[in-house]
Amino acid sequence: MDWSPILISMKTAGLSIVVTFFLGILAAWLVVSLKQEALKMVLDGILTLPLVLPPTVAGFFLLYLFGVKRPLGQFFLEYFSVKIAFSWGATVIAAVTMSFPLMYRSARGAFEQVDENLVQAARTLGMGEWTIFWKILMANAVPGIVSGGVLAFARGLGEFGATAMIAGNIAGKTRTLPMAVYSEVAAGNMDSAYQYVAVIVVIAFLSVIAMNRAAAGNARRG
């Protein structure tokens, strides 16, 4: 069995969850803090859109942005000599795009479950918004945020459609585990496909256990 898809997938999922984790928490905090409901709905719709779009459509938009002759892709190529499309970095971008809504929705739900009276009491005591974020919101939302992080990691690890569009299926470079399963089945190498599937199933199962533990911690906290 070629181990490169496993290594590529783990590197991709590892880096993407770092980006997604912090961006998702920040976006959730900003949206929850908004007072205008109309603006909140619009932003929520935009941030959640990759979750409801077909992955290939999301990948199409990414390819449109990061293609060699497209705005962002041309910018990176001309000024940094970095080609985004069909590179390993493209697998990370695809994973971040598709897993971000899960992290954002989980973090937002966790923040909204925090008792508003705690936040108001903290403001009455003169605490700043940044202090309230860390000592009130984050402290009470940790189980939900952890659960969202695990789910986002698993989603990034299993990303296929958007990755195929913007990163392709280049062996040893952009071929992730889902792409490897597809390639092996297409080539009729079912034994190799079984092995890759087994790896994905084990990781997915461990992710479910981690989410259940986080949910149990949230219930005990409640």
Side-chain angles (χ1 to χ4, degrees):
M1 181 176 66
D2 182 9
W3 288 85
S4 64
I6 299 175
L7 297 176
I8 292 171
S9 288
M10 295 306 294
K11 288 194 300 182
T12 298
L15 181 55
S16 67
I17 189 55
V18 172
V19 177
T20 301
F21 186 80
F22 291 105
L23 285 182
I25 291 174
L26 178 61
W29 181 39
L30 293 176
V31 171
V32 169
S33 300
L34 289 175
K35 303 301 181 183
Q36 298 180 2
E37 289 299 324
L39 179 59
K40 183 182 293 188
M41 290 179 62
V42 171
L43 286 178
D44 183 74
I46 294 173
L47 295 175
T48 309
L49 192 59
L51 185 64
V52 295
L53 282 176
T56 50
V57 175
F60 173 82
F61 284 117
L62 291 176
L63 187 60
Y64 181 84
L65 291 174
F66 293 100
V68 176
K69 296 184 179 180
R70 296 302 178 178
L72 290 178
Q74 194 170 22
F75 172 80
F76 279 100
L77 187 60
E78 289 184 1
Y79 291 95
F80 301 100
S81 299
V82 175
K83 181 183 177 183
I84 300 296
F86 303 104
S87 67
W88 176 74
T91 68
V92 177
I93 292 174
V96 168
T97 300
M98 301 308 297
S99 62
F100 170 83
L102 295 174
M103 185 67 231
Y104 158 71
R105 300 289 304 184
S106 297
R108 180 182 172 181
F111 288 152
E112 289 178 338
Q113 288 180 0
V114 176
D115 191 348
E116 182 64 22
N117 292 326
L118 293 176
V119 177
Q120 295 300 331
R123 290 187 177 128
T124 302
L125 294 173
M127 295 175 65
E129 292 300 318
W130 189 245
T131 304
I132 292 174
F133 171 75
W134 281 109
K135 294 189 175 182
I136 305 297
L137 289 177
M138 283 295 292
N140 289 277
V142 166
I145 289 175
V146 171
S147 179
V150 173
L151 189 61
F153 175 81
R155 180 66 183 86
L157 188 70
E159 167 50 35
F160 177 82
T163 302
M165 291 293 292
I166 189 175
N169 185 17
I170 306 172
K173 187 176 181 181
T174 65
R175 181 171 292 175
T176 57
L177 274 170
M179 299 298 296
V181 172
Y182 174 82
S183 299
E184 296 300 333
V185 171
N189 301 324
M190 299 305 295
D191 289 340
S192 295
Y194 293 148
Q195 292 175 329
Y196 289 130
V197 167
V199 173
I200 295 175
V201 169
V202 169
I203 296 175
F205 182 71
L206 293 176
S207 298
V208 171
I209 292 176
M211 283 189 296
N212 288 338
R213 289 180 64 88
N218 194 21
R220 289 194 297 269
R221 203 178 184 87

